[in-house]
């Protein structure tokens, strides 16, 4: 993508309405614009990141055997009367009449609708064991929408719902989601701490929230310091080993359950929540299936949410500096920012065009700054939008046939040849070694 053709409305000043870094940076980097309180337009750069996050989630859910569906954003309120939750969400649930005066609502969550799908379409115990997910917009009329996309009113969520024949099977599904969540967040460059959370009226210990540790987090979390070591790259652990570590939400914290010298107390951003539901909804909505012996069994459910749009903010909270965002490669909108320091200089233009062509041919996403802005402005913009690699080409280097390559995260800069620069960002051809 050529910057001159792109839609990237950067803001130089610090937006006064933004209280936290991620909100400030998402506005300054031209990723989002607020339309109304807690309701955002996603501009191209922001949408690219959102889609990258979505794709990681989709890939991990598919690997876990879950099946993607898509439910409407609008629902009839009848199902909520049937489940007994019509009044439970109060004013957070947005309701409105259609032209025939039938009441609709904008979905804040989908337990009712998915249970309705299952009760109407699953025929026998052979259909059980399925985990159905969607990535869809939700609306919750939050009292205090704030921190940009972190607590919006309209927000993108991955929500999934599992249906099993008995508790043991439901627990297995739950544990699989636990592992899946740790993997998906790790792929986004995050160490999410899985804290034991309140399981409400259902009881038991099958409720975990996944938190990204950040000063601006809205929740208090308590956890074993090993999670910090994992995040800082000091140790590696399997999900099974992580499962043994202490981690609890405020309401579940027990100071006697962990040695004081191992305890960390911090603020967390909740990016995911997994929950064993039991038969709460299946009972109310009569989602039953005949078992092998013909007996009707009320399905055991679980629900599993991820805050997709919140993650964009959470990743920035976890990864930025004074100059701007530092994207982990897996979610970065472009992998490379190519900066032409002197547009109009024949050598610079030619070298940039060659590199731009080669990167595109190799399938490496690249944003080419071909504008006539001054050098200082170009550096600041590129640091602000946080692409993992910068390749800078100026008249002196072009004369010698070298480029300057900068790693956004470490700040390291090297003067290297064009081919070496390419080899740093072009992935080795998959399968070549195996041939
Ligand atoms: P919170 O305590 O932050 O309000 P919640 O418990 O209401 O979250 P869930 O109902 O578990 O959230 O929803 C699943 C996920 O959706 C949450 O883990 C969170 O990441 C995300 N989420 C919830 N509310 C919002 C919101 N207003 N804006 C953005 N993301 C949200
Ligand atoms: Mg909430």
């Amino acid at each position: 993508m050529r910057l001159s053709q792109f839609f990237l409305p950067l803001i130089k000043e610090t937006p006064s309405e933004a209280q936290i870094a991620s909100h400030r940076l998402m506005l300054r980097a031209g990723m989002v614009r607020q339309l109304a309180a807690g309701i955002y337009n996603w501009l191209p750069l922001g949408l690219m990141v959102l889609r990258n996050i979505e794709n990681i989630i989709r890939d991990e859910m598919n690997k876990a055997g879950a099946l993607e569906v898509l439910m409407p954003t609008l629902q009839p309120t009848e199902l909520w009367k049937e489940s007994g939750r019509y009044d439970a969400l109060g004013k957070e649930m947005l309701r409105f009449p259609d032209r025939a005066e039938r009441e609709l609502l904008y979905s804040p969550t989908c337990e009712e609708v998915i249970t309705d799908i299952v009760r109407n379409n699953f025929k026998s115990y052979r259909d059980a064991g399925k985990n159905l997910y969607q990535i869809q917009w939700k609306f919750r009329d939050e009292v205090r929408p704030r921190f940009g996309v972190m607590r919006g009113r309209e927000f993108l969520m991955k929500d999934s719902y599992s249906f099993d024949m008995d508790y043991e099977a439901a627990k297995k599904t739950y544990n699989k989601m636990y592992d899946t969540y740790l993997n998906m967040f790790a792929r986004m460059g995050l160490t999410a701490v899985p804290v034991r959370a309140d399981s409400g009226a259902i009881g038991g210990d099958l409720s975990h929230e996944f938190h990204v540790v950040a000063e601006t987090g809205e929740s208090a979390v308590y956890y074993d310091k090993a999670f910090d070591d994992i995040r800082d790259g000091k140790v590696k652990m399997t999900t099974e080993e992580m499962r043994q570590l202490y981690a609890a939400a405020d309401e579940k914290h027990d100071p006697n359950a962990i040695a004081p010298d191992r305890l960390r107390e911090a603020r967390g951003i909740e990016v995911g929540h997994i929950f064993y539901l039991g038969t709460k909804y299946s009972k109310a909505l009569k989602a039953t299936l005949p078992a092998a012996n013909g007996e009707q069994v009320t399905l055991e459910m679980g629900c599993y949410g991820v805050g997709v749009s919140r993650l964009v903010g959470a990743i920035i909270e976890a990864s930025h500096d004074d100059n701007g965002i530092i994207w982990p490669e897996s979610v970065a909108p472009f992998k490379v920012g190519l900066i032409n320091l002197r547009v109009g200089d024949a050598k610079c233009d030619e070298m940039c065009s060659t590199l731009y062509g080669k990167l595109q041919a190799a399938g490496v996403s690249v944003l080419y700054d071909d504008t006539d802005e001054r050098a200082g402005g170009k550096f600041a913009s590129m640091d602000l939008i946080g692409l993992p690699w910068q390749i800078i080409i100026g008249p002196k280097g072009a004369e010698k046939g070298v480029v300057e390559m900068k790693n956004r995260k470490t700040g390291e800069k090297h003067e290297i040849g064009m081919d070496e620069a390419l080899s740093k960002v072009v992935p080795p051809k998959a399968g070549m070694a195996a041939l």
Side-chain angles (χ1 to χ4, degrees), residues 323 325 334-339 355 359 366-367 378-393 403-409 411-414 416 421 424-425:
N323 298 328
I325 302 167
F334 299 93
K335 186 170 179 177
V336 177
L338 177 60
I339 302 178
L355 252 179
L359 286 166
V366 49
L367 181 64
K378 289 193 174 195
F379 291 139
S381 299
M382 211 45 102
D383 277 354
L384 172 63
I385 66 170
L387 309 183
W389 295 97
Q390 296 174 13
I391 300 178
I392 303 149
I393 295 176
V403 307
E404 187 169 54
M405 183 133 189
K406 175 176 161 181
N407 181 303
R408 175 67 180 88
K409 189 175 174 181
E412 276 175 279
K413 281 187 189 175
H414 293 291
I416 55 178
K424 275 195 191 288
V425 291

Side-chain angles (χ1 to χ4, degrees), residues 128-184:
K130 289 192 171 59
N131 187 352
L132 303 172
Y133 79 96
Q134 68 170 349
I135 297 173
Q136 177 63 297
W137 294 91
K138 304 287 183 291
F139 192 92
R140 294 182 185 174
D141 208 347
E142 301 272 358
V143 191
R144 240 154 67 84
R146 58 179 188 157
F147 298 161
V149 300
M150 206 75 97
R151 182 165 300 282
R153 290 198 294 167
E154 190 187 41
F155 58 96
L156 190 60
M157 193 200 281
K158 187 286 293 176
D159 44 326
S160 54
Y161 309 88
S162 63
F163 298 84
D164 283 292
M165 289 300 278
D166 54 46
Y167 175 74
E168 279 312 312
K171 191 172 167 177
K172 245 187 168 164
T173 308
Y174 181 93
N175 287 334
K176 191 183 251 179
M177 281 297 105
Y178 180 100
D179 291 351
T180 297
Y181 273 41
L182 286 176
N183 291 336
M184 72 168 69

Side-chain angles (χ1 to χ4, degrees), residues 7-18 20-34 40 43 45-46 316 320-325 376-377 379-386 408:
F7 177 35
L8 189 67
L10 301 181
I11 300 172
K12 289 220 168 61
E13 321 75 56
T14 302
S16 59
E17 72 268 36
I20 63 171
S22 58
H23 188 194
R24 268 196 302 276
L25 290 170
M26 287 182 75
L27 292 170
R28 290 194 52 214
M31 294 174 66
V32 292
R33 289 293 181 263
Q34 182 176 301
Y40 286 84
L43 305 187
L45 195 80
I316 296 174
H320 68 273
D321 62 16
D322 290 345
N323 298 328
I325 302 167
F379 291 139
S381 299
M382 211 45 102
D383 277 354
L384 172 63
I385 66 170
R408 175 67 180 88

Side-chain angles (χ1 to χ4, degrees), residues 245-296:
L245 297 175
Y246 181 84
D250 207 9
E251 71 274 6
K252 281 277 180 183
H253 179 48
D254 171 10
N256 299 317
I258 176 167
D261 63 321
R262 296 206 63 87
L263 179 67
R264 287 285 178 277
E265 186 180 337
R267 307 296 300 173
I269 302 167
E270 183 192 320
V271 290
H273 192 179
I274 59 176
F275 205 100
Y276 164 67
L277 291 169
T279 56
K280 183 174 173 188
Y281 299 97
S282 46
K283 205 167 181 179
L285 294 170
K286 302 192 182 62
T288 64
L289 285 179
N293 63 8
E295 211 176 288
Q296 284 292 324

